[in-house]
Amino acid sequence: MFEVDWKTPHLWAKTTPKRSPAPELRGDHEADLLVVGGGYTGMAAALGARDSGANVILLEGNEIGSSASGRNHGLVISHHSKAAPSEFEAVYGKARGEKYNRLIANSGDVSFGLMQRFGINAHQVQNGWIQPAHTQATLRRVRQFYHEWKAFGAKVTWLDRDMISAKIGSPYLGGWLVPNSGHINPFAMAVGLAGALEREGVAIFENSKAISLKKSGKGWLVKTSKGSVIASRVVLATNALTDNLWPDLKRTLIPLKVFQSATEPLPEELRAQILLGNPAVSDMRNDLRYFHFDCDNRLVSGGTHTFWHNEAERGREKVATMLKKAFHAFKTTPKMVEYWHGTFAVVPDRRPRLYRLAPGLVFGGIYSGRGVALSMSLGQEIGRWALDQLSDDAMPLPVTNMQPVPFHPVATQVANRIHPWHRLKDRFE
C-alpha cells in the first residue's frame, strides 16, 4: 500500500538539475555519529552534529530525495499542525511549550536560511503562507491562531474577507498570513542540502539500506548488504519508512499516502487573478485545499485517495475539479499534466516525537504534515542532542520512551480510509 516508485521522475525532479548519487557503503567504517535516513530530519541532524565538530556518516536506503522530503507539496510553514501555541504550553508546560513555540515561529527563517547559507537553489519563494477560513467556525479558529502568535511576538498579519479573497482569487471569510513562510521545490532542497553536507565533510552513502543494528562495545554496529558502520551514537531518522530495524518502532507512527498534481504552466492573464504575490496557501477544510505556483508557473495542489486504483487518472481529475471550483478565474477545467505520490508519517495527537531508544540511540521526527520547516529546525537540535551537547531537558520537546499508536493496524487503515468522512463533513459545513 505504501510503496513508492521513486525511480520514475516527478515534477520536482524534472525541474531540478541532475545530481550523481553518493556511493554505496562498502567495507567497514567508523564515526562519532551515524544517521540512518537521508530525509530532511536526517540531513539536518547530520548538519547539527557536523557543525559541532563530529565525524558524521549518513546512510540513505534509496537515493536522496526519493521519499517524503523530496516528494511533498513544498510548503514551508511556521505554524503547528492544527494547534495553537497555548495548546502546546498546556501539554508541555510553560517553559518547554514556549521553547517549542519559539522553534516553530522561527522554523521558516531557519529553512530559508539554510538555502542562503549553502547557496541552494530550491526555487524558494518566501512570500508568506496564508491560512484562510471558509466557515464561521474555522474563522474563529484562525483568529485564535493569529492572536496567539501575535501575542507571542511572531510577525503575522490578519487579512479580512475582501483582502484574502482578492489575494487568493477564491472566496474566503478571512484568514491570516505568516510572512516568514513560503514554498520550495522540496526535491531540489533535498539534493542541494545533501551536496552542502558533503562539502561540509559529512560522508553520505546512498542505496545503502541499514539491515541490522546491534550494540557493539561502547557504541553501535549497523550493517548494510555490503558494508558496516561502528558509531558511538546513532540517530534513526526514518519517519514514514521506519521498518523493523528497531523492534516496535514502526508501531509508533502511521504512514499516510498522499498525491500531488500540477497544471500546465498558466498564462499571465490567469496568474494575475490567482495567488497574487505567489504565496503558499492551505485552508481549514478537513479535506485540505492547498496551492502554490512552481518555478514555471504551474499551479500545484494535491490530495489523497481512499482506494488507489487508477490513481493518476482519478487524482488529476479530482484536483482539476477542485481547482475549477476554488478559482473563478478558470473558465474551463484546467489540464493537469503532472501526477506523483508519496508517504509521510502522522500520529493521532500531531505532536512530533523524540525517543531515547537506548544509551547512544535516539529517534526523532513524525511531523503529521508539517515536516518541511520543522524537520530542518528540530533536526539540527536532534544532531546536537544525540552527541549529548543538549540534554533531554534542554530539548524543545519531551524525550520519552516509544509511544506505540493504540491498535496500530486498525489506526493505519482508518487514517488512510477516512477521507470520505472528511469530505462529507466539509459538505455539511
Side-chain angles (χ1 to χ4, degrees), residues 96-399:
R96 175 163 269 149
E98 184 173 333
K99 183 180 296 185
Y100 182 58
N101 286 331
R102 185 71 58 196
L103 181 85
I104 293 291
N106 294 332
S107 60
D109 286 328
V110 168
S111 301
F112 288 105
L114 286 177
M115 301 172 217
Q116 183 175 12
R117 172 184 172 183
F118 294 117
I120 297 172
N121 178 8
H123 308 158
Q124 57 265 39
V125 177
Q126 195 176 10
N127 287 350
W129 167 73
I130 298 173
Q131 186 175 44
H134 64 291
T135 66
Q136 290 297 326
T138 57
L139 185 63
R140 288 191 293 272
R141 185 64 166 157
V142 295
R143 281 190 186 279
Q144 179 187 1
F145 295 155
Y146 164 74
H147 285 301
E148 288 197 16
W149 279 118
K150 185 176 181 180
F152 189 78
K155 293 181 179 179
V156 294
T157 303
W158 182 255
L159 302 173
D160 63 23
R161 179 197 295 260
D162 292 340
M163 294 171 63
I164 202 165
S165 298
K167 192 169 184 65
I168 296 176
S170 184
Y172 283 101
L173 301 181
W176 64 308
L177 167 71
V178 185
N180 76 343
S181 301
H183 55 85
I184 61 174
N185 172 333
F187 183 82
M189 180 62 196
V191 299
L193 187 55
L197 289 179
E198 290 172 324
R199 294 191 296 273
E200 292 293 305
V202 174
I204 296 178
F205 296 95
E206 295 179 62
N207 298 299
S208 302
K209 181 179 175 61
I211 57 177
S212 69
L213 166 66
K214 64 179 182 180
K215 200 78 175 71
S216 177
K218 295 183 179 180
W220 294 89
L221 173 64
V222 174
K223 291 185 177 182
T224 68
S225 62
K226 297 178 181 178
S228 68
V229 179
I230 290 181
S232 302
R233 296 171 173 84
V234 176
V235 172
L236 298 184
T238 45
N239 278 296
L241 296 187
T242 298
D243 56 14
N244 297 315
L245 187 63
W246 187 257
D248 293 328
L249 180 58
K250 69 179 182 181
R251 296 177 63 85
T252 68
L253 57 86
I254 296 172
L256 189 65
K257 189 174 178 180
V258 298
F259 68 81
Q260 312 296 335
S261 188
T263 67
E264 56 191 353
L266 298 185
E268 184 176 354
E269 60 267 23
L270 262 181
R271 288 186 282 111
Q273 304 173 67
I274 296 173
L275 305 184
L276 303 187
N278 199 9
V281 175
S282 55
D283 73 10
M284 294 284 287
R285 286 174 169 82
N286 297 287
D287 188 27
L288 284 182
R289 292 181 177 181
Y290 50 95
F291 330 94
H292 70 82
F293 284 113
D294 83 334
C295 63
D296 295 317
N297 302 315
R298 301 176 185 89
L299 186 57
V300 187
S301 187
T304 190
H305 296 301
T306 305
F307 300 100
W308 290 80
H309 61 283
N310 301 327
E311 61 168 286
E313 178 183 352
R314 293 170 53 237
R316 290 189 184 100
E317 181 180 354
K318 185 180 297 184
V319 173
T321 300
M322 180 273 290
L323 293 178
K324 176 66 166 57
K325 291 179 179 178
F327 297 103
H328 296 166
F330 286 114
K331 303 307 179 186
T332 60
T333 303
K335 181 179 180 181
M336 312 304 296
V337 297
E338 300 286 346
Y339 175 93
W340 68 102
H341 70 243
T343 304
F344 67 98
V346 302
V347 284
D349 62 14
R350 294 180 174 269
R351 296 196 290 269
R353 302 291 195 255
L354 297 177
Y355 297 145
R356 186 171 292 283
L357 303 174
L361 177 65
V362 301
F363 170 91
I366 317 177
Y367 304 107
S368 300
R370 288 291 164 83
V372 175
L374 181 53
S375 61
M376 296 186 208
S377 294
L378 183 60
Q380 293 181 72
E381 300 288 275
I382 290 171
R384 291 185 277 268
W385 168 57
L387 294 175
D388 293 330
Q389 295 190 353
L390 290 175
S391 68
D392 289 2
D393 288 341
M395 292 299 285
L397 291 166
V399 177

